[in-house]
Amino acid sequence: MATCLEEIAALKSFQAECKIHVYTLGQFAVYREGDLISEQGWGRDKTMQLFQFLVATIQRNGIHREQISDRIWEDDKTGDFKVALHGINKVLEPQRAPRSAPAYLIKQGHAYQLNAQKVWVDTVALEKYIAIATMTENDVEGSIVALQEAIALYKGLFLPSRVYEDWSAEERERVQVIVMGAYYQLAEMQLQINAMETIRLTQNALAIDPSWEDVYRLQMSAYIQNGNRPQAIKTYQKCKQILDEEYGLEPLPETNYLLASINAL
């Protein structure tokens, strides 16, 4: 069985071998053999939009073109799909011979999907790094490295330019939950190794979701581990304020118990 570090190396190798690299977190950018494809290079916005949809669904089975059109467009669907699909192939493979099969798009009947074996996508890589971190409980060093690689890929919201598009919401929410879990897992692992790193990670996690009470407790523990009792108490106060403002709730009993144990120091 491969170790975490060996699995990480394999992911890095796949990234290096791919000719198409897609970044969706915090920005949208596509590189073809190392060259950034400009916004003008996509031609029509619907070409880019269709590609982004295929990126968002890259880990699923092929989706029927009518379902795709229904999800992302309201107007002339059949013509839009054909033109946008042609535009994607032209952008990804400008030198492809006429009538030859596309390398990066898979067509099965009327269903389409991106070829996940030939296209590197940041969200897919992020999720795979997190999966590597959970391979074994015995390889702490490898798990930490894998989670660090995952978090390094997170630059912000999934496809921020499509934040008001319904079709992108599901993937955006899914990625955010996965990233939050990675932040928490790594911060917890670092608690006994480097409390300051736990504090930094929890601060970043709370910047994504300021109401996650588990993260506040972990941050309180990290401040105590680092000998900073006043800041641990301030963290509790911030947690209490946010929960009250956002949901009209009080902190959980375990959070209050942690505060009591801090006050008793």
Side-chain angles (χ1 to χ4, degrees), residues 25 125-127 129-130 145-154 179 182:
L25 299 171
L126 184 151
E127 195 166 355
Y129 281 124
I130 293 172
V145 172
L147 289 169
Q148 288 172 335
E149 291 286 351
I151 287 171
L153 288 171
Y154 186 74
V179 169

Side-chain angles (χ1 to χ4, degrees), residues 131-148:
I132 289 171
T134 61
M135 282 175 46
T136 174
E137 295 180 358
N138 300 322
D139 189 357
V140 175
E141 178 187 357
S143 295
I144 287 175
V145 172
L147 289 169
Q148 288 172 335

Side-chain angles (χ1 to χ4, degrees), residues 38 65 97 102 106 112 157 167 191 197 249:
S38 67
R65 67 185 185 189
I106 298 174
Y112 294 83
L157 288 177
W167 58 264
L191 183 58
E197 179 63 4
L249 297 174

Side-chain angles (χ1 to χ4, degrees), residues 208-243:
I208 300 172
D209 182 359
S211 63
W212 195 1
E213 193 170 348
D214 290 352
V215 176
Y216 282 108
R217 283 198 302 274
L218 185 56
Q219 189 175 99
M220 289 165 68
S221 298
Y223 276 121
I224 291 301
Q225 185 80 8
N226 208 44
N228 194 336
R229 180 171 172 268
Q231 195 61 46
I233 295 172
K234 286 182 181 179
T235 299
Y236 172 85
Q237 293 169 342
K238 181 66 174 177
C239 173
K240 182 179 174 65
Q241 176 187 348
I242 291 292
L243 290 175

Side-chain angles (χ1 to χ4, degrees), residues 213-214 217 220 236 239 243 249-262:
E213 193 170 348
D214 290 352
R217 283 198 302 274
M220 289 165 68
Y236 172 85
C239 173
L243 290 175
L249 297 174
E250 287 291 320
L252 291 169
E254 49 262 51
T255 308
N256 289 324
Y257 177 81
L258 178 58
L259 176 67
S261 67
I262 291 170

Side-chain angles (χ1 to χ4, degrees), residues 36-45 48:
L36 175 65
I37 298 172
S38 67
E39 187 172 346
Q40 294 75 18
W42 290 94
R44 305 166 75 246
D45 181 64
M48 183 189 295

Side-chain angles (χ1 to χ4, degrees), residues 10-183:
L11 272 184
K12 294 281 189 181
S13 178
F14 172 74
Q15 181 179 354
E17 291 169 2
C18 285
K19 295 182 180 180
I20 303 295
H21 295 87
V22 184
Y23 294 87
T24 63
L25 299 171
Q27 63 170 345
F28 174 69
V30 181
Y31 290 83
R32 182 186 59 231
E33 298 189 59
D35 294 327
L36 175 65
I37 298 172
S38 67
E39 187 172 346
Q40 294 75 18
W42 290 94
R44 305 166 75 246
D45 181 64
K46 289 188 176 180
T47 299
M48 183 189 295
Q49 193 174 26
L50 176 59
F51 181 76
Q52 290 171 334
F53 178 88
L54 294 173
V55 168
T57 57
I58 191 171
Q59 298 190 79
R60 305 179 191 176
N61 293 327
I63 303 175
H64 195 283
R65 67 185 185 189
E66 289 186 4
Q67 290 180 298
I68 296 174
S69 296
D70 287 341
R71 291 286 303 277
I72 59 179
W73 298 315
E74 296 179 356
D75 46 9
D76 177 24
K77 298 170 183 177
T78 303
D80 281 334
F81 187 88
K82 289 180 179 179
V83 173
L85 193 69
H86 174 75
I88 290 173
N89 284 321
K90 186 176 180 181
V91 168
L92 300 184
E93 297 181 272
Q95 304 303 321
R96 183 167 62 92
R99 299 185 180 179
S100 60
Y104 304 112
L105 280 172
I106 298 174
K107 180 178 182 292
Q108 295 178 315
H110 295 296
Y112 294 83
Q113 65 186 119
L114 280 179
N115 189 338
Q117 301 304 313
K118 293 186 177 181
V119 178
W120 181 91
V121 179
D122 56 0
T123 53
V124 176
L126 184 151
E127 195 166 355
K128 287 183 177 180
Y129 281 124
I130 293 172
I132 289 171
T134 61
M135 282 175 46
T136 174
E137 295 180 358
N138 300 322
D139 189 357
V140 175
E141 178 187 357
S143 295
I144 287 175
V145 172
L147 289 169
Q148 288 172 335
E149 291 286 351
I151 287 171
L153 288 171
Y154 186 74
K155 307 296 184 183
L157 288 177
F158 175 76
L159 294 180
S161 64
R162 305 293 184 187
V163 71
Y164 298 111
E165 303 284 351
D166 290 342
W167 58 264
S168 69
E170 181 180 344
E171 181 68 0
R172 183 173 301 107
E173 292 169 6
R174 190 185 72 85
V175 169
Q176 184 164 314
V177 169
I178 291 170
V179 169
M180 286 292 294
Y183 266 115

